[in-house]
């Protein structure tokens, strides 16, 4: 996808070129590539090396599981999410493994692992579009996820496509100009 950030300072191309695609091609993700994404997540940093993340995965070839995952996605996300090759649910254990105490940075640490996954995907030519608009209660019930594990996000993974006849409408849903708040709005020193 030809939408690159225009950063003020030089940053790594993996960061500058990553986007959340809203058109995916039907090309499947190979098993070695898919495993590499989770391997990248596995090597993420986490507080006390707690590794609180867990992922539920369905590839398009697993028709029943894939449809099940689609059923938890908000209709607003479905036009592009249904085109993904792989759907993933990201969860975080909200308690420390050995004491059961609250894990203050559990969701943050899942985010770090997912960021690793996203950049490994980018390096392999894959795109990842993450989702917050999902039915968490239904996911919890359907997959019997215990209460001490948070259902946090979903990830649609696949090869981004510029456009195709089947996705002509989606092409216009993203502005070619990507924007971010300026550094001075979120980097502070004295107060
Ligand atoms: C945790 C998370 C949840 C997101 N949820 C949604 C979502 O439900 N629907 C959607 O269209 N985009 C979603 N996004 C994508 C963001 O809108 C997107 O990252 C942001 O607009 C910046 O665009 P970019 O990723 O292409 O740089 C989500 C991103 C993240 C990280």
């Amino acid at each position: 996808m030809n939408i690159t950030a225009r950063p003020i300072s030089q940053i790594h191309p993996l960061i500058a070129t990553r986007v959340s695609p809203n058109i995916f091609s039907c090309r499947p993700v190979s098993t070695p590539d898919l495993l590499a994404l989770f391997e990248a997540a596995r090597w993420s940093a986490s507080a006390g090396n707690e590794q609180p993340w867990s992922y539920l995965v369905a590839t398009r070839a697993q028709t029943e599981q894939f449809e099940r995952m689609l059923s938890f996605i908000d209709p607003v996300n479905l036009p592009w999410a249904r085109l993904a090759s792989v759907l993933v649910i990201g969860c975080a254990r909200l308690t420390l493994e050995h004491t059961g105490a609250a894990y203050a940075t559990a969701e943050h640490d899942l985010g770090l692992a997912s960021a690793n996954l996203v950049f490994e995907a980018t390096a392999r030519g894959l795109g990842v579009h993450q989702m917050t608009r999902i039915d968490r209660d239904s996911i919890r019930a359907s997959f019997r996820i215990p209460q001490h594990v948070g259902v946090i996000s979903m990830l649609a993974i696949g090869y981004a496509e510029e456009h195709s006849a089947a996705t002509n409408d989606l092409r216009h849903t993203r502005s070619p100009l990507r924007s971010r708040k300026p550094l001075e709005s979120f980097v502070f020193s004295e107060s």
Side-chain angles (χ1 to χ4, degrees):
M1 191 171 269
N2 193 17
I3 310 171
T4 304
R6 293 201 195 91
I8 289 168
S9 31
Q10 205 60 35
I11 57 174
H12 197 281
L14 267 186
I15 299 170
T17 60
R18 181 213 58 82
V19 294
S20 302
N22 61 358
I23 309 180
F24 291 104
S25 81
C26 55
R27 187 175 153 199
V29 178
S30 72
T31 302
D33 277 339
L34 190 54
L35 287 176
L37 304 194
F38 293 105
E39 185 67 15
R42 179 174 171 238
W43 286 100
S44 177
S46 61
N49 204 16
E50 280 277 335
Q51 305 165 64
W53 45 77
S54 51
Y55 294 99
L56 285 153
V57 185
T59 65
R60 180 174 288 285
Q62 297 167 293
T63 318
E64 208 173 303
Q65 282 291 73
F66 194 84
E67 287 298 323
R68 182 180 176 195
M69 287 222 190
L70 280 178
S71 73
F72 305 126
I73 297 175
D74 188 292
V76 78
N77 289 333
L78 278 177
W80 45 264
R82 69 180 174 77
L83 303 172
S85 297
V86 186
L87 290 171
V88 175
I89 297 171
C91 299
R93 175 173 38 79
L94 304 172
T95 51
L96 299 177
E97 196 154 40
H98 295 299
T99 65
Y103 184 169
T105 58
E107 294 186 28
H108 169 276
D109 295 359
L110 168 69
L112 289 179
S114 294
N116 270 17
L117 183 157
V118 167
F119 290 115
E120 185 64 38
T122 309
R124 288 169 184 264
L126 285 159
V128 183
H129 198 145
Q130 298 173 76
M131 286 169 262
T132 190
R133 297 181 70 160
I134 55 175
D135 182 347
R136 291 179 177 78
D137 291 340
S138 298
I139 291 172
R140 181 180 297 287
S142 177
F143 291 99
R144 291 178 288 123
I145 297 172
Q147 285 301 327
H148 72 284
V149 174
V151 178
I152 309 300
S153 59
M154 276 185 78
L155 301 86
I157 304 172
Y159 291 94
E161 198 166 70
E162 285 286 320
H163 63 88
S164 71
T167 55
N168 224 11
D169 292 345
L170 288 177
R171 191 157 44 105
H172 303 293
T173 59
R174 169 189 283 283
S175 161
L177 294 176
R178 301 177 65 222
S179 67
R180 290 297 191 269
K181 294 175 183 173
L183 282 189
E184 56 271 27
S185 74
F186 68 95
V187 183
F188 306 102
S189 59
E190 286 176 15
S191 63

